[in-house]
Amino acid sequence: MFYEVQVEVLTESDTGRLKKIKEYYLVKAVSVTDAEAKMYKEFENEQNDWDVKMVKESKILRVVDNEQ
């Protein structure tokens, strides 16, 4: 199954202001908990503050990639 995960990342702009950016990921996992755990592993070395804001089951059945 695929899960849609929304992550909010706190970044600093060129002017020095902090701003929150929403990023979206498609994660292959067996459950919501598994998808969230995979995102924590993916972001474990991220220097900016971040937080998983939403995880939901995706309607996507599979990803087709025919490039070889």
Side-chain angles (χ1 to χ4, degrees), residues 6-66:
Q6 178 187 28
V7 176
E8 190 174 80
V9 180
L10 189 62
T11 62
E12 189 174 329
S13 69
D14 295 336
T15 61
R17 279 185 75 186
L18 293 177
K19 63 181 184 176
K20 295 177 182 178
I21 297 176
K22 292 179 183 175
E23 298 178 347
Y24 296 88
Y25 296 88
L26 186 64
V27 180
K28 187 174 185 178
V30 295
S31 67
V32 169
T33 305
D34 184 37
E36 185 174 7
K38 287 183 177 190
M39 289 310 300
Y40 275 90
K41 180 140 180 77
E42 179 71 21
F43 276 81
E44 67 186 355
N45 295 322
E46 178 69 31
Q47 294 180 4
N48 295 332
D49 288 340
W50 61 275
D51 190 28
V52 173
K53 290 297 185 181
M54 181 270 308
V55 181
K56 69 177 184 177
E57 189 174 331
S58 174
K59 293 181 180 180
I60 294 173
L61 300 176
R62 67 180 156 172
V63 176
V64 178
D65 181 10
N66 291 328

